[in-house]
Amino acid sequence: MFNKILIANRGEIALRVIRTCKEMGIKTVAIYSKADADSLHVRFADEAVCIGPPPSSESYLNIPRIMAAVEITNADGVHPGYGFLSENANFSEICRQSGVKFIGPTPEMINKMGDKVTAKETMIKAGVPVVPGSEGLLKDVKQGIKIANQIGYPVILKATAGGGGKGMRIVTKDDEFEAAWDSARKEAKASFTNDGIYVEKYVEEPRHIEFQIIGDQFGNVIHLSERDCSIQRRHQKLIEESPSPFMTPELREKMGDAAVKAGKSINYEGVGTIEFLVDKYRNFYFMEMNTRIQVEHPVTEEVIDHDLIKEQIKVAAGIPISGKNYYPKMHAMECRINAEDVFNGFRPSPGKINSFHSPKGHGVRVDTHVYAGYTVPPYYDSMIAKLICKAQTRDECIKKMQRALDEFVIEGIKTTVPFHKCIMKNEKFKSGDFNTGFMNTFSIDDCIE
Ligand code: ADP
């Protein structure tokens, strides 16, 4: 087992990892930028190292500085969290070369799955259904239009390096293709310095259903059932839940088998997520794999009653997994609380939190790094808390979430709490009959109380 783990991240996930490490008797090292000196992850870790100024490129994304912190603290493991360097094959490789264990997959596995075009090719070989589309990257507009006509409109242009919903454009006819192509490429170039674009069929009214998997160093891969992440804005998740209201035991078996097959095809080691789109006929298609712990992992933790960070650390330490899949015993839901002004185009709202009261009670969990007096820095992701509720049934879970949201007091900045309150009252959401287009049918102005 590890002696000391350095957490190469910030915010709630850094705190989350520290908690599990303490329970496992592992020492912890926090790294932080100057903007995060007052952060709780710095306070609760056994040691903390300042690695640079606020911009991520000079701190949380700066590999030489992080490796220097590893060296001076003598850490034997690095937990990358999510975002930042968590899916960076180069970082995983440098950790390997430095003799420190990267708590995540090998660079080879990240490379196979990090690039979406390569990932799709790998899945086709493994016999996992994928969305029909171009074989590899598009060369130009002409080729794109030709393929779009073969698979039929609407289609979606996607960045091979994509993430966070960037570099995606829906195209409904030939005339729109060129403009969409130009803007997708521009956005991809700016976001990922890689403007490689591919095209696939735009699955209409799909659900986003993903499977949590875990693999050990001995070739065992299991799944931990699904999360439904269909409530999204601009392709970014806002609410996640498990089980999916759309799931049937038969579909869970089929999708779970495909997810395990996907993991086994690359001998996957660590926790990972296989994302699928599911159409209204319950056909499902592989979309991408995330080779890291995800923001929404607590939803799974609550329904199967296991600590996923602990499992992740155990497999990284070479401990084998049990070999059987896990199924939901409860219903759980997560609302992402962002520092954003929902009535102003979800504009970021950083600043000082004057008062903070988080909801409590049975079945309520809040994962957060903020507190009264904390200043949300403008440099990073706007997520400030995750509110997770669990109950026996979906209905009870929604009622608990409503109650918990009512108790949530965050003053000084704007947050997405009013938005979530509104969704929890929405009849379509409550009925469970929704898809990734939900937000198009929803008017935020109706939420003004
Ligand atoms: P990212 O890595 O940027 O998050 P994903 O490939 O995970 O991108 O897609 C994000 C979201 O975009 C999906 O959850 C879905 O809502 C939408 N999407 C992606 N591909 C398709 C598709 N072929 N058809 C319909 N919607 C899609």
Side-chain angles (χ1 to χ4, degrees), residues 261-425:
K261 211 157 54 169
K264 281 197 169 151
S265 75
I266 58 162
N267 283 320
Y268 191 68
E269 177 200 324
V271 296
T273 300
I274 313 287
E275 297 189 336
F276 295 101
L277 285 176
V278 184
D279 71 15
K280 56 184 167 205
Y281 309 107
R282 291 195 168 82
N283 297 311
F284 63 91
Y285 307 96
F286 168 85
M287 192 165 41
E288 68 162 334
M289 175 170 187
N290 292 129
T291 54
R292 54 170 161 81
I293 193 80
Q294 282 191 281
V295 172
E296 59 271 29
H297 77 273
V299 169
T300 300
E301 293 186 324
E302 295 305 322
V303 297
I304 66 165
D305 200 18
H306 275 272
D307 179 337
L308 287 193
I309 303 284
K310 185 173 173 186
E311 298 307 317
Q312 184 184 29
I313 292 172
K314 276 164 62 184
V315 296
I319 297 171
I321 52 174
S322 75
K324 63 176 196 328
N325 299 322
Y326 286 82
Y327 294 91
K329 294 190 263 189
M330 303 286 283
H331 197 97
M333 206 172 265
E334 172 182 276
C335 289
R336 297 192 187 196
I337 313 297
N338 297 341
E340 288 169 3
D341 183 356
V342 292
F343 301 114
N344 234 317
F346 286 76
R347 228 189 357 224
S349 174
K352 186 167 176 185
I353 297 175
N354 299 325
S355 72
F356 185 83
H357 172 81
S358 77
K360 298 179 178 69
H362 182 241
V364 177
R365 166 175 172 184
V366 178
D367 280 18
T368 184
H369 59 292
V370 312
Y371 52 87
Y374 175 82
T375 299
V376 180
Y379 309 102
Y380 315 109
D381 190 79
S382 61
M383 196 177 74
I384 55 164
K386 306 189 299 202
L387 170 57
I388 306 108
C389 287
K390 73 165 169 192
Q392 293 288 337
T393 65
R394 185 168 191 270
D395 274 355
E396 284 170 344
C397 193
I398 291 174
K399 288 200 181 96
K400 197 179 283 284
M401 189 62 90
Q402 286 171 337
R403 183 280 278 173
L405 286 163
D406 282 341
E407 271 180 39
F408 221 144
V409 180
I410 307 170
E411 281 166 0
I413 57 165
K414 300 265 193 320
T415 75
T416 50
V417 167
F419 164 82
H420 289 297
K421 280 186 185 171
C422 192
I423 299 268
M424 292 301 140
K425 286 187 212 136

Side-chain angles (χ1 to χ4, degrees), residues 199-219:
V199 64
E200 62 187 28
K201 176 97 186 147
Y202 183 69
V203 182
E204 289 181 79
E205 301 180 6
R207 286 195 172 248
H208 173 124
I209 300 179
E210 57 187 34
F211 271 70
Q212 177 72 54
I213 63 163
I214 182 162
D216 64 17
Q217 295 176 8
F218 310 94

Side-chain angles (χ1 to χ4, degrees), residues 37-327:
D38 295 329
S39 220
L40 288 184
H41 78 284
V42 177
R43 195 180 307 176
F44 290 140
D46 296 312
E47 291 169 69
V49 182
C50 180
I51 51 157
S56 307
S57 57
E58 294 177 56
S59 51
Y60 300 105
L61 288 174
N62 193 300
I63 298 177
R65 289 186 186 169
I66 296 171
M67 294 316 292
V70 169
E71 204 173 322
I72 57 169
T73 57
N74 213 6
D76 55 353
V78 170
H79 195 298
Y82 51 68
F84 294 124
L85 296 170
S86 60
E87 293 183 285
N88 186 306
N90 187 35
F91 185 47
S92 173
E93 175 68 45
I94 288 170
C95 287
R96 182 160 70 186
Q97 283 171 10
S98 314
V100 52
K101 177 73 182 167
F102 178 80
I103 303 177
T106 63
E108 292 77 22
M109 293 168 197
I110 299 178
N111 278 334
K112 272 203 187 122
M113 285 299 168
D115 180 89
K116 293 189 184 190
V117 165
T118 316
K120 262 183 103 167
E121 282 163 3
T122 310
M123 288 306 107
I124 292 168
K125 277 198 211 119
V128 175
V130 303
V131 187
S134 54
E135 280 172 31
L137 294 177
L138 288 178
K139 283 197 273 297
D140 51 30
V141 174
K142 204 170 137 223
Q143 186 205 13
I145 291 180
K146 193 172 154 211
I147 295 172
N149 280 285
Q150 280 162 5
I151 57 180
Y153 285 107
V155 297
I156 183 166
L157 299 178
K158 295 174 74 171
T160 190
K166 298 255 166 56
M168 281 195 273
R169 293 291 180 278
I170 298 161
V171 187
T172 62
K173 51 180 191 283
D174 287 356
D175 292 353
E176 293 170 6
F177 203 100
E178 189 158 358
W181 162 264
D182 287 341
S183 71
R185 287 217 330 173
K186 228 182 257 164
E187 193 170 289
K189 179 107 196 161
S191 310
F192 320 112
T193 62
N194 173 349
D195 62 1
I197 299 287
Y198 64 103
V199 64
E200 62 187 28
K201 176 97 186 147
Y202 183 69
V203 182
E204 289 181 79
E205 301 180 6
R207 286 195 172 248
H208 173 124
I209 300 179
E210 57 187 34
F211 271 70
Q212 177 72 54
I213 63 163
I214 182 162
D216 64 17
Q217 295 176 8
F218 310 94
N220 303 306
V221 179
I222 56 166
H223 77 75
L224 286 63
S225 294
E226 80 280 4
R227 294 182 290 257
D228 192 316
C229 311
S230 302
I231 305 293
Q232 310 178 339
R233 180 177 173 272
R234 300 201 174 154
H235 307 302
Q236 292 200 39
K237 299 162 187 170
L238 298 166
I239 298 174
E240 303 93 351
E241 66 180 298
S242 182
S244 165
F246 197 58
M247 194 48 77
T248 63
E250 298 75 40
L251 183 61
R252 186 177 289 119
E253 282 311 307
K254 275 201 265 175
M255 291 181 74
D257 279 352
V260 167
K261 211 157 54 169
K264 281 197 169 151
S265 75
I266 58 162
N267 283 320
Y268 191 68
E269 177 200 324
V271 296
T273 300
I274 313 287
E275 297 189 336
F276 295 101
L277 285 176
V278 184
D279 71 15
K280 56 184 167 205
Y281 309 107
R282 291 195 168 82
N283 297 311
F284 63 91
Y285 307 96
F286 168 85
M287 192 165 41
E288 68 162 334
M289 175 170 187
N290 292 129
T291 54
R292 54 170 161 81
I293 193 80
Q294 282 191 281
V295 172
E296 59 271 29
H297 77 273
V299 169
T300 300
E301 293 186 324
E302 295 305 322
V303 297
I304 66 165
D305 200 18
H306 275 272
D307 179 337
L308 287 193
I309 303 284
K310 185 173 173 186
E311 298 307 317
Q312 184 184 29
I313 292 172
K314 276 164 62 184
V315 296
I319 297 171
I321 52 174
S322 75
K324 63 176 196 328
N325 299 322
Y326 286 82
Y327 294 91

